[in-house]
Amino acid sequence: MQSKRRVSIIGTGSYVPEKVLTNQDLEAIVETSDEWIYSRTGMRERHIAAPEQATSDLGAEAAKKAISDAGIDVAEIDLIIVATLSPDMFFPSTACFVQDKIGAKNAYCFDLGAACSGFLYAMDTAKNMIASGAAETALVIGSEKMSTFIDWEDRATCILFGDGAGAAVLRAGGEGRGVMDAVMGSDGSLADLLSTPGGGSRNPMTHEMLDQKMQYLQMQGREVFKHAVTRMTETVISTLEKNNISADEVKCFIPHQANIRIIDAIAKKLKVADRMYSNVDKYANTSSAALAIALDEAVKDGTIRKGDLVVLTVFGGGFTWGANVLEWGK
Ligand code: COA
C-alpha cells in the first residue's frame, strides 16, 4: 500500500451565466423589495442560466478555465467529481456529461451529493483518493442550475439562489503543505428542514406531486440559519485545533455563500471579520458552486497568495457541513 502523498490545488476556474437578475428585477416577480433582500441577505444580484444551458454546461466552462489555469493537458485528468443538487438528469451523472464536453477521455467520473456542502466534500474525497495513490490528477467541480429547482412564486426562497459553477484541479505533490486536513459532519435527522422532496423514489413524479410543488426546494429559513452558523463555526474551530493552527495564522476564511448575516455571525464568533471572504452580493447562493467560485475569485483577485493558510467551510442540506485547511502553493 502506498503511503499518503501531499496534494495541491494547481488550478481554479469559475463561470456564471450572462443573464443577471437584480433585486429590482425580483420586485416584478414576487412581493419583495431590494431593501428587504439586501438587509436580510446581503444579496444584490444573481446570475441565471439560459434555458438551453444545463448544469454540465456551466460546469464544463468552469472546468476549462481551471484546466487552463493549471497548465495541464486535459488527458492528464484521471478523476472528475461533480458536486451538484441540480444534475442534468438522475442518470447518467453530470460528471460524465462534463467529461464528454471537455474531452477528458482518461477520467473516471461520478457525482457527489452533499447539497451546498458538495464542493468541499468532493475536494476532500479527491484529496484522499490522490493521497492514497488511487488517482493522480482530479478535476473537482461544484455546478448548479438552481433556477430550475426554485419555486418562482415563493418569495422566501426564490430570492436566495443563483446559477453558476466553480472548479479546481488537484494533483499529487506541489510546494508547501497543500490541502492539509478536513473535519466533516452530517446529521440526517434534520433533513426535512432543507430539501427538494419530490421527484425521487419517496415522492415520485406524478401530476399530484407537481401540483403540490414538491419538485421545488423547500426550507425553514430561520432554523437553517441557526444550524449553519453553529456548525460552520464549530467545524472551523475543530479543524484548526486538530492541526495545531491558530486563527491568527490564517490569511483567508472562505465560508459557504448563503447569507451575509450567516457569514458575519461566524466571523464575529471566530473574531476574523477582517479576513472573511464574501461575494454573496454578486451571485447569491449558488449552492455547491458557491465555495468554488469564491475560492477562484479570492485567488484571482490576490486575496490568497503563495504560502497563505486558507480555511474553507461549508454547510448544506442533509444537514451536511465541513471545513478544511490548506496552504496555497501556486
Ligand atoms: N421579501 C419580503 N418579505 C419577505 C420575503 C421577501 N423575499 N421573504 C420572507 N418575507 C417575510 C416573511 O413572510 C415574514 O413576514 P411575517 O413576519 O409577516 O410573517 C418576514 O419577512 C420575516 O420572515 P423570516 O423568514 O422570519 O425572515 P428571516 O429574517 O429569517 O430571513 C432568510 C429569511 C431566508 C433570509 C433567512 O432565514 C436565511 O437566510 N436563512 C438561511 C437560508 C439559507 O442559507 N439556506 C441555504 C443554506 S445552505
Side-chain angles (χ1 to χ4, degrees):
M1 192 178 142
Q2 272 182 280
S3 61
K4 282 199 162 189
R5 303 186 292 176
R6 187 190 321 146
V7 180
S8 299
I9 297 175
I10 61 166
T12 59
S14 59
Y15 169 81
V16 288
E18 218 172 286
K19 183 181 168 187
V20 174
L21 188 73
T22 65
N23 291 350
Q24 283 81 8
D25 295 331
L26 281 164
E27 288 174 6
I29 299 173
V30 286
E31 199 182 327
T32 192
S33 66
D34 173 45
E35 196 281 328
W36 193 96
I37 298 170
Y38 187 68
S39 63
R40 301 284 176 131
T41 69
M43 297 166 188
R44 288 280 191 210
E45 56 191 36
R46 66 285 297 141
H47 290 245
I48 302 295
E52 68 277 10
Q53 281 182 307
T55 295
S56 68
D57 298 308
L58 312 184
E61 291 307 314
K64 284 182 212 162
K65 292 185 186 177
I67 293 163
S68 157
D69 188 43
I72 60 163
D73 191 289
V74 72
E76 296 174 54
I77 295 167
D78 58 1
L79 170 66
I80 299 176
I81 309 178
V82 173
T84 187
L85 59 74
S86 52
D88 287 24
M89 303 174 187
F90 272 154
F91 78 91
S93 70
T94 301
C96 283
F97 290 121
V98 171
Q99 176 198 27
D100 184 47
K101 290 191 167 81
I102 64 173
K105 289 191 166 51
N106 298 322
Y108 93 93
C109 312
F110 62 92
D111 288 359
L112 185 150
C116 296
S117 303
F119 184 71
L120 199 68
Y121 272 57
M123 187 191 288
D124 194 47
T125 303
K127 181 242 168 185
N128 287 318
M129 289 178 69
I130 295 169
S132 73
E136 286 296 324
T137 306
L139 174 63
V140 177
I141 301 169
S143 186
E144 304 282 8
K145 188 177 180 183
M146 296 299 290
S147 55
T148 349
F149 295 92
I150 296 302
D151 178 1
W152 288 98
E153 293 179 348
D154 176 15
R155 68 178 183 172
T157 53
C158 76
I159 56 133
L160 295 171
F161 296 94
D163 300 335
V169 179
L170 276 70
R171 173 172 271 185
E175 290 179 40
R177 285 170 283 182
V179 184
M180 294 158 64
D181 194 26
V183 174
M184 318 294 287
S186 309
D187 183 353
S189 72
L190 299 170
D192 289 347
L193 295 177
L194 177 57
S195 69
T196 300
S201 56
R202 174 68 58 205
N203 302 295
M205 198 70 79
T206 60
H207 287 293
E208 196 184 7
M209 185 282 280
L210 294 172
D211 289 344
Q212 290 171 21
K213 295 187 165 193
M214 290 167 77
Q215 72 276 30
Y216 296 129
L217 181 145
Q218 298 179 2
M219 179 180 69
Q220 293 187 33
R222 283 203 174 175
E223 281 304 306
V224 174
F225 190 109
K226 284 187 272 181
H227 285 278
V229 173
T230 308
R231 289 303 190 183
M232 282 194 274
T233 306
E234 282 175 359
T235 316
V236 168
I237 292 170
S238 307
T239 306
L240 292 175
E241 282 178 0
K242 192 174 160 215
N243 290 278
N244 291 316
I245 293 168
S246 86
D248 292 344
E249 295 172 70
V250 178
K251 175 72 191 309
C252 181
F253 293 82
I254 309 184
H256 174 47
Q257 305 289 310
N259 184 322
I260 197 66
R261 291 190 297 132
I262 293 177
I263 295 171
D264 287 346
I266 299 167
K268 199 171 163 199
K269 282 174 190 277
L270 296 172
K271 301 192 179 66
V272 299
D274 53 330
R275 287 164 289 146
M276 206 71 165
Y277 197 84
S278 176
N279 58 15
V280 73
D281 57 325
K282 292 189 288 182
Y283 306 123
N285 182 351
T286 55
S287 186
S288 72
L291 183 71
I293 296 172
L295 175 64
D296 181 48
E297 292 206 335
V299 171
K300 303 284 159 63
D301 71 17
T303 303
I304 299 174
R305 292 171 196 272
K306 191 170 178 174
D308 287 343
L309 284 181
V310 179
V311 168
L312 310 177
T313 184
V314 285
F315 179 85
F319 285 148
T320 53
W321 61 86
N324 78 356
V325 58
L326 55 97
E327 181 181 331
W328 198 252
K330 247 170 90 80

